[in-house]
Amino acid sequence: MTVSQSLIPIIICWAVIGGLGASLLLPSMQSLIHGNFSGPMQRRAYALVGASAAIAAAVGPLLGGFITTYLSWRVAFFGEVVIIAIVLFGSRRVKEVPYTGEKGVDVVGAILSALGMGGLVVGILVWEEGGGAVGALISVGIVALGSLVWWLKRRKREGKPALLDVGLFASKYFRLGVSSQTCQQIALGGMMIALPIYLQMVLEYNALEAGLSLAPLSLTMFAVALLAGKKAGDRSPSKIIRTGFLLLVFGIAVLIPIVPRAHSGWALVGPLLIAGAGLGLLVSQLNNYTLAPIEEERVSEAAAVNSAGGSFGLSFGLAFAGAIMLATLSLVFTHKANSSDVLSPREQSQVADKLEHNAEVLTNTDLEQLLKGKTQAVKDEILRINTDARPIALQIALIVPLLVGLLGLANGFRMTRLADPKPSAAAEQLLAG
């Protein structure tokens, strides 16, 4: 179901504020791991952090579903304040890692970065809501990202502080790691928008039931991430990453044909277990693969880029898969309505006009309420069209994480052609001492 147009500015502001907090927290956390651990312990620490994220993915839908169903969605925001307070209280026990790099601020680079990633994601969100500024926003995003690349190269040539050092991307390990992290997050975001809508709008589950149905994905992701972090040993991280993407792709590929045939969440358990295992393997290895070879003085910067790629990937996956789903629903519904022998030309025109301005994924129960006053034949026809169109839209939406998973798998094969990354010289010296 789409969000009211009037709520979009509020949601965007909330997302920006939350994104700023996450963009500061995640790089700092990864930098602390890099500075406090080395060798096998560093790999385990990265895996445990990944497993912690998997715990959040497991508990979030269940706890959020319970709160939404039996209390109020407002309680969830209060819970976030409590969690943040606990984190701030415990932060005093964290050993600080001193920053030794330049302390200049690249204001222009920061603005271009925000305009670039924000323009793309917000443009897709506006498209999903039927906005008219889609092309302008996406164009702003593309131009800003292109300008950011030019600006960063210029700052490096002039020896001035930049938002990030483009020299980081000279490392094949870093390029492959960041791009794989982004692919993993796009795939996860795409699944996490398509599957809850399927469960709540097609099977008419409440938020708690939808969360329970998605538990096989998140719980398996957590268990596998934890196990892989402990048991990986000297196994090749590139091969583990390749296997993770392979399992993710296979799970989604099995899931797509099940969508129109499933009558309960139980039908999704097998594919979700497979995809969750793949995500768990990726979570356990990608951070370490990307950051382990980075020298100590550049790790904060590298961690920031890595986290930004993941955050952007998750946002993009959620927005893009949702937009694709609603666009497909509108097209399929309109096509079936125009081909109907039951609906009059006037009714067909009304359907097309409503979908053009505000496509919605509705349960049949909700749709019946909107069709009060219509003849029974018209009600039955529109319900039939809605029942046929929704699974197709959801299948198309799941193609987004499938294709991105295939891109990640291609990255995995490229990784295996390289020697496994070695810890940085600073980390090796620390381990020897």
Side-chain angles (χ1 to χ4, degrees):
M1 186 177 297
T2 57
V3 183
S4 171
Q5 295 275 356
S6 62
L7 291 179
I8 294 177
I10 299 174
I11 292 173
I12 291 174
C13 291
W14 172 72
V16 168
I17 294 171
L20 287 173
S23 65
L24 294 174
L25 175 62
L26 291 174
S28 301
M29 179 176 61
Q30 293 182 5
S31 299
L32 288 170
I33 293 171
H34 195 91
N36 283 270
F37 300 94
S38 59
M41 287 301 297
Q42 187 183 82
R43 291 193 292 272
R44 291 182 184 179
Y46 279 128
L48 286 172
V49 169
S52 300
I55 293 175
V59 174
L62 297 176
L63 184 60
F66 175 83
I67 291 173
T68 303
T69 303
Y70 297 108
L71 299 174
S72 168
W73 60 268
R74 295 175 178 83
V75 177
F77 288 92
F78 174 76
E80 290 187 9
V81 174
V82 174
I83 293 172
I84 291 171
I86 294 172
V87 171
L88 291 175
F89 179 79
S91 64
R92 295 179 299 176
R93 302 178 59 186
V94 177
K95 176 185 174 183
E96 186 60 69
V97 177
Y99 176 70
T100 59
E102 297 182 6
K103 293 180 167 42
V105 177
D106 180 10
V107 177
V108 174
I111 293 174
L112 289 174
S113 174
L115 286 175
M117 291 186 284
L120 289 178
V121 174
V122 174
I124 294 172
L125 288 173
V126 172
W127 173 29
E128 181 180 338
E129 293 296 330
V134 178
L137 285 168
I138 293 178
S139 297
V140 167
I142 294 173
V143 171
L145 288 177
S147 300
L148 176 64
V149 174
W150 170 81
W151 175 258
L152 294 175
K153 290 181 177 179
R154 175 186 171 184
R155 299 284 285 186
K156 184 174 178 63
R157 286 195 305 268
E158 296 175 350
K160 296 179 180 179
L163 181 67
L164 61 95
D165 183 4
V166 291
L168 286 170
F169 291 93
S171 167
K172 290 183 179 179
Y173 297 105
F174 188 76
R175 291 200 306 269
L176 290 171
V178 170
S179 58
S180 296
Q181 177 95 322
T182 305
C183 287
Q184 178 227 328
Q185 291 293 83
I186 292 176
L188 178 60
M191 294 178 69
M192 294 308 291
I193 189 67
L195 293 175
I197 288 178
Y198 169 79
L199 293 165
Q200 294 186 55
M201 303 305 172
V202 178
L203 299 183
E204 303 196 22
Y205 282 4
N206 61 34
L208 178 58
E209 291 170 331
L212 288 171
S213 297
L214 293 176
L217 176 72
S218 49
L219 291 176
T220 305
M221 180 179 170
F222 161 62
V224 172
L226 196 60
L227 185 64
K230 290 182 177 180
K231 301 295 185 181
D234 295 329
R235 291 179 177 85
S236 168
S238 59
K239 291 182 180 178
I240 295 176
I241 291 170
R242 183 182 63 184
T243 302
F245 275 116
L246 182 62
L247 289 174
L248 175 62
V249 167
F250 182 71
I252 298 173
V254 173
L255 185 64
I256 290 175
I258 291 177
V259 165
R261 298 172 177 83
H263 299 292
S264 75
W266 287 105
L268 311 180
V269 170
L272 291 181
L273 288 174
I274 297 170
L279 288 169
L281 291 177
L282 294 173
V283 163
S284 72
Q285 301 297 317
L286 276 174
N287 281 338
N288 183 65
Y289 183 94
T290 306
L291 300 179
I294 303 297
E295 295 297 330
E296 210 69 39
E297 63 271 12
R298 306 176 73 190
V299 71
S300 296
E301 192 174 18
V305 177
N306 189 44
S307 297
S311 299
F312 172 72
L314 185 62
S315 301
F316 185 84
L318 287 165
F320 191 60
I324 290 293
M325 181 185 64
L326 288 177
T328 304
L329 176 67
S330 177
L331 290 172
V332 174
F333 204 112
T334 301
H335 173 73
K336 288 181 175 291
N338 290 338
S339 303
S340 172
D341 296 329
V342 177
L343 301 180
S344 67
R346 180 172 175 273
E347 289 166 336
Q348 292 173 355
S349 177
Q350 289 176 340
V351 167
D353 183 66
K354 178 174 178 57
L355 290 175
E356 181 181 356
H357 291 90
N358 191 24
E360 294 187 20
V361 179
L362 296 172
T363 65
N364 282 345
T365 301
D366 293 332
L367 194 55
E368 285 177 350
Q369 296 296 319
L370 294 176
L371 294 174
K372 285 183 177 180
K374 299 290 184 180
T375 65
Q376 189 61 44
V378 170
K379 288 182 181 179
D380 292 342
E381 181 68 0
I382 292 181
L383 287 173
R384 181 192 67 79
I385 292 173
N386 190 50
T387 301
D388 292 343
R390 292 175 308 182
I392 297 174
L394 290 164
Q395 285 178 306
I396 298 298
L398 287 173
I399 289 177
V400 173
L402 177 65
L403 292 177
V404 174
L406 288 172
L407 288 176
L409 182 60
N411 262 1
F413 279 104
R414 293 174 63 191
M415 288 177 177
T416 57
R417 297 192 186 102
L418 302 174
D420 286 329
K422 302 296 182 183
S424 64
E428 289 180 339
Q429 291 172 8
L430 186 62
L431 183 61

